[in-house]
Amino acid sequence: MYEPTAYEITTPHPWTQPPATAARPVILPAEIPPGVDWVTLPNGVRTLAYTQPAPPPPIPVAAAQPIPAWAKTTALLAPTVGVGIGAAGIGLSYAAPGLIAMSHALWSAAALVVAAVIAVPVLIRTARRAVGGSGAGSGGSTTHITQNITATGLFGRANGTINHR
C-alpha cells in the first residue's frame, strides 16, 4: 500500500548569512544548461536563474518602392485582353453557322469560276465552227492580225505596229 512520507522543509531566512564553513558547490560554465544564466538579484546576491531567450534581431524592412509603370499597364491590360479573347470566342461560336455557309458559298463560287474558264472557250470554239462552216469549202475569208510591241527599259515607252493580212 501507499505510505505517506514526511519531509522537513527548511527555508533560509534572507537576513541570515550562511556559515562561512559551508562549502558552496562549484558549477563550471560548460555545465550550465541552455536557458539558465547567472543573474544578480536586487539585494546583490548572484545566482542561477532561468532567463528568456534573447529576441531575434528585427528584420530590416525596406522602404516601399513605387510600382513601375509597365507593371501597372500590364495589370490593367491583362483582364482587358482576357475579356476580349472571351468575347471573340463567343462571337465566333455565334457566327460559326454563317462562317460555314460562307465557306460553302466560296467553294461553290470557285467551282463556278473554274467551270466558266473551261466551258466558255469550248462553247466559243463550237459556235465558230457552226457559223463558219468547215473552213476551205465555205468560201469565207479569215483575217490575221499581228501586233508587234517593243519597249526599252523597265519604264520605257512602248512602240507597236499592227499588221492586217
Side-chain angles (χ1 to χ4, degrees):
M1 256 237 19
Y2 176 74
E3 294 181 18
T5 309
Y7 292 102
E8 182 180 342
I9 299 175
T10 58
T11 307
H13 298 287
W15 58 86
T16 62
Q17 293 292 331
T21 60
R24 292 188 183 178
V26 178
I27 298 178
L28 298 174
E31 296 176 354
I32 299 175
V36 176
D37 202 3
W38 286 102
V39 295
T40 304
L41 298 175
N43 62 359
V45 176
R46 286 186 47 95
T47 185
L48 290 173
Y50 289 104
T51 58
Q52 295 292 329
I59 298 172
V61 178
Q65 298 290 330
I67 298 174
W70 65 267
K72 289 180 185 178
T73 304
T74 304
L76 291 173
L77 283 178
T80 306
V81 170
V83 169
I85 291 172
I90 292 171
L92 285 175
S93 69
Y94 283 124
L99 292 174
I100 293 170
M102 284 183 6
S103 69
H104 289 301
L106 284 174
W107 280 113
S108 299
L112 182 64
V113 168
V114 169
V117 166
I118 294 172
V120 168
V122 172
L123 288 175
I124 291 175
R125 188 177 303 134
T126 306
R128 279 189 180 171
R129 285 186 185 161
V131 172
S134 63
S138 65
S141 65
T142 56
T143 305
H144 294 282
I145 300 174
T146 355
Q147 184 176 10
N148 296 321
I149 299 174
T150 57
T152 57
L154 182 62
F155 296 107
R157 186 173 176 163
N159 295 321
T161 56
I162 298 176
N163 297 325
H164 296 274
R165 295 186 191 167

